[in-house]
Amino acid sequence: MTVYTTPPSPTRPIRSFVRRAGRTTTGQQRALQTYGERFVLPYEPQQLDLAACFGRVAPTVLEIGFGMGDATAQIAEGRPNTNFLCCEVHEPGVGALLKQIGERGLTNIRIIAHDAVEVLDQMLAPDSLDGIHLFFPDPWHKTRHHKRRLVQPPLVARLAARLRPGGYLHGATDWEPYAQQMLAVLSAEPVLRNSASGYAPRPAYRPPTKFERRGLKLGHGVWDLVFLRV
Ligand SMILES: C[S@@+](CC[C@H](N)C(=O)[O-])C[C@H]1O[C@@H](n2cnc3c(N)ncnc32)[C@H](O)[C@@H]1O
């Protein structure tokens, strides 16, 4: 069976992920075969025609790192008038989301099984997104790994530039020091403004994610942040 996740390019040494070992289940494999061609887009270092990919013109949200995609599928089902372009490098997760797409009959999700940073830089035009979801990005607890965290000024500037004015960036984390970093970095980005004073209440469209539930069992808190492009 085709492996949809594409190898990273050798030019960007610090990555926000390591490719985890993990078995793709028979159900996920079957979903990759059945739905992959329709819903998985290839990574190509050229600008994506979003209307052509989704077969319609609609507000588009980029999700970075959907994990097993349970929250993604629920959100897409609840927001049928929005397109969701979803990036994940973990192949079992891609299979799991495809399975949900099939079971729920969703048509408003497209997946790119590749590093979202490269997708952002190479495939998405300025002002092309209505929203960005960054739910429970890997917290990279150890100080020597902090450089792998996604929420840092250079990437946030590039994310903000892909949002149309009025678009939103919604992040969430269960790791308080990373929440503090997110709040500081997002607050310092000149073209973003905080929709709340400090952390935001969890927006109704976001169900608890798998990673979040794991954190809650460990006694972690949860911090949402919603910033708007000015
Ligand atoms: C901690 S998990 C959270 C998953 C999910 N959002 C949740 O809350 O359950 C972070 C996920 O982001 C993915 N990831 C990390 N960096 C990524 C990147 N640059 N591009 C795409 N996926 C990435 C990882 O493979 C992992 O599945």
Side-chain angles (χ1 to χ4, degrees):
M1 174 53 210
T2 319
V3 172
Y4 284 96
T5 48
T6 46
S9 87
T11 48
R12 198 177 63 88
I14 299 169
R15 296 196 174 275
S16 60
F17 57 88
V18 284
R19 283 177 195 276
R20 286 171 283 149
R23 203 176 71 80
T24 303
T25 65
T26 311
Q28 291 160 359
Q29 195 67 253
R30 198 176 305 124
L32 284 161
Q33 272 157 357
T34 311
Y35 303 112
E37 201 169 313
R38 173 155 180 219
F39 294 103
V40 179
L41 307 174
Y43 168 76
E44 282 165 343
Q46 63 185 44
Q47 201 167 300
L48 198 60
D49 179 343
L50 288 170
C53 292
F54 284 92
R56 65 175 185 175
V57 175
T60 299
V61 169
L62 171 72
E63 178 166 11
I64 299 177
F66 58 76
M68 299 309 277
D70 47 348
T72 305
Q74 277 188 63
I75 293 170
E77 191 166 40
R79 293 173 57 181
N81 297 324
T82 300
N83 294 334
F84 292 90
L85 180 66
C86 303
C87 295
E88 177 53 64
V89 293
H90 187 53
E91 186 176 271
V94 174
L97 180 54
L98 285 168
K99 193 160 173 282
Q100 293 268 336
I101 287 173
E103 286 167 0
R104 294 172 187 257
L106 302 175
T107 56
N108 56 339
I109 292 179
R110 298 293 180 274
I111 297 170
I112 305 185
H114 191 83
D115 185 344
V117 175
E118 291 186 358
V119 171
L120 181 84
D121 288 341
Q122 303 295 331
M123 299 181 77
L124 295 175
D127 295 358
S128 59
L129 298 174
D130 292 78
I132 296 172
H133 291 173
L134 184 55
F135 299 151
F136 304 90
D138 294 288
W140 294 109
H141 302 111
K142 293 180 182 160
T143 308
R144 69 189 156 91
H145 288 149
H146 284 181
K147 57 183 180 289
R148 287 179 173 275
R149 287 181 176 172
L150 280 166
V151 182
Q152 304 198 46
L155 183 67
V156 166
R158 274 144 51 216
L159 288 168
R162 299 309 187 281
L163 285 172
R164 65 163 178 78
Y168 69 92
L169 192 162
H170 178 181
T173 182
D174 67 331
W175 188 245
E176 191 166 15
Y178 198 13
Q180 289 162 352
Q181 176 171 333
M182 286 183 178
L183 187 58
V185 171
L186 294 172
S187 300
E189 169 50 51
V191 303
L192 294 177
R193 82 171 165 78
N194 198 342
S195 72
S197 82
Y199 300 109
R202 172 162 67 88
Y205 61 76
R206 186 180 78 67
T209 76
K210 187 169 180 207
F211 195 81
E212 174 178 11
R213 289 193 298 271
R214 201 180 76 170
L216 289 170
K217 273 193 202 138
L218 294 169
H220 296 179
V222 175
W223 294 268
D224 281 79
L225 304 97
V226 182
F227 279 68
L228 302 174
R229 163 87 196 270
V230 294

